[in-house]
Amino acid sequence: MLKRTLVAALVTVMLGAAVGLVGCGQKAAEPAKPGPAPQAQDTIELSYSIFFPPTHIQCKTADAWAKEIEERSGGRVKITMYPGGSLTKAPQCYEGVVNGVSDIGMSCFAYTRGRFPLLEGIDLPLGYPSGAVATRIATEMAQKYAPEELADTHLLYIHAHGPGILASKKPVRTLDDLKGLKVRATGLSAKIVQNLQGTPVAMSQPETYEALQKGVVEATFCPIETLKGWKQGEVIEYVSDTSVIGYTTAMFVVMNNDAWAKIPADLQEIFTAVSQEWVAKQGQAWDQADDEGRVFVEGLGRETIPLPDAEAQRWVAAVKPILDEYVASTKEKGLPGAAFLKDIQALLAKYSKK
């Protein structure tokens, strides 16, 4: 028994010595310490000021643009919409983006006339056949000319409504019928009415329904979607198809330069790609709204008056001085208005055929 105990003790001593020898030449391996937990990327939060009310198809289309960017970014971008001019009113929207009141903004160039002298050429009465064509041309022209007047923001894209037409309480079949007629019109459309020998009366869209109803004005120049959207089809009797001189209103979607610069390059690519896709989507939204407006007035039994070719050319000739004035005005400012206008007309011929 004693012998067995001595042997066990000797084995224990030998094993301890062996461990000690190993320890002299090499440290025992320590368990690996966990590295720092990966940090989640900060979400980029952006504000988007838009003057359309939330129920308008253009606001809904813009909201879909924002959600598409959020989805493709994997949630790294969050865009909060401020519709109905709740963050910046329509005329102040662009400067609001420049000054960082909002990161992104949508409104009309025409609301600050003189601020965008070259791009005003887009809105001229050139005979736009649809919102899709007007939108495509507007974006292409801005991208081609990259005017200095847009340098204080990052342009994402432009969209524009379908042709402005004449809706009236009295039938307007010829240019002579328009003489002296009181027509609701503002900005560029007021110039158009003057050149057509009508009497322009400036007022906002919300005021127009009652003005037509009470006879304060006898007609309005507008895209046909307005006749449903603002219910003005209820207080007119005729729609003259004046699309041969159809004007449009170009609307910007721009981002604050500093906000754009802070976005990583891979996210900038997403913004650019989605915006390019939305040129077609926003244009289609305008055409959908026009189609709904047309159906609305037809359902009310309103008469649509076409202009025969010879008569249509009288209207075209009547508004030509507006185009000439634009060319002369931009030339005085050292801007390529003549080339800009020529390019628009070439694109109109190209896309109208399609």
Side-chain angles (χ1 to χ4, degrees), residues 15 21 34 38 46 96 108 114 123 190 195 201 240 288 296 322 333:
L15 286 171
L21 288 171
L46 301 170
C108 305
D123 292 359
N195 280 62
V201 180
S240 298
Q288 179 183 329
F296 179 73
I322 299 175
K333 295 178 175 70

Side-chain angles (χ1 to χ4, degrees), residues 62-259:
D63 186 58
W65 171 89
K67 285 182 168 55
E68 183 70 15
I69 288 175
E70 291 175 5
E71 183 177 340
R72 292 195 198 181
S73 73
R76 291 164 62 195
V77 175
K78 170 65 178 173
I79 301 173
T80 301
M81 306 292 290
Y82 292 89
S86 56
L87 186 56
T88 50
K89 299 301 181 186
Q92 288 79 44
C93 183
Y94 188 87
E95 295 304 324
V97 174
V98 173
N99 298 322
V101 178
S102 68
D103 298 303
I104 306 167
M106 177 195 290
S107 190
C108 305
F109 292 115
Y111 286 159
T112 47
R113 291 194 67 77
R115 174 68 170 76
F116 306 99
L118 185 65
L119 294 175
E120 284 180 9
I122 296 170
D123 292 359
L124 293 171
L126 297 170
Y128 289 98
S130 67
V133 168
T135 294
R136 184 171 182 178
I137 290 175
T139 297
E140 286 189 23
M141 293 300 295
Q143 290 174 343
K144 176 179 179 178
Y145 281 82
E148 184 65 25
E149 59 208 53
L150 278 179
D152 46 8
T153 62
H154 177 78
L155 177 66
L156 293 166
Y157 64 101
I158 298 175
H159 61 98
H161 66 62
I165 49 84
L166 182 72
S168 58
K169 297 173 74 71
K170 302 176 181 179
V172 176
R173 304 183 189 281
T174 70
L175 199 55
D176 301 321
D177 295 331
L178 193 60
K179 190 170 184 179
L181 198 70
K182 293 178 292 184
V183 184
R184 180 266 173 193
T186 58
L188 173 66
S189 59
K191 283 187 178 182
I192 295 172
V193 172
Q194 286 176 332
N195 280 62
L196 298 175
Q197 301 300 306
T199 302
V201 180
M203 66 180 62
S204 67
Q205 286 292 3
E207 297 173 294
T208 305
Y209 184 101
E210 186 176 355
L212 284 165
Q213 189 178 46
K214 294 183 175 180
V216 175
V217 294
E218 302 159 283
T220 178
F221 256 119
C222 60
I224 199 166
E225 61 94 14
T226 305
L227 300 182
K228 179 184 180 183
W230 295 94
K231 305 297 184 186
Q232 292 165 12
E234 297 175 352
V235 286
I236 57 96
E237 296 295 331
Y238 303 90
V239 175
S240 298
D241 182 2
T242 58
S243 55
V244 67
I245 59 164
Y247 67 92
T248 189
T249 302
M251 302 174 203
F252 56 78
V253 181
V254 294
M255 182 181 286
N256 175 272
N257 276 334
D258 290 337

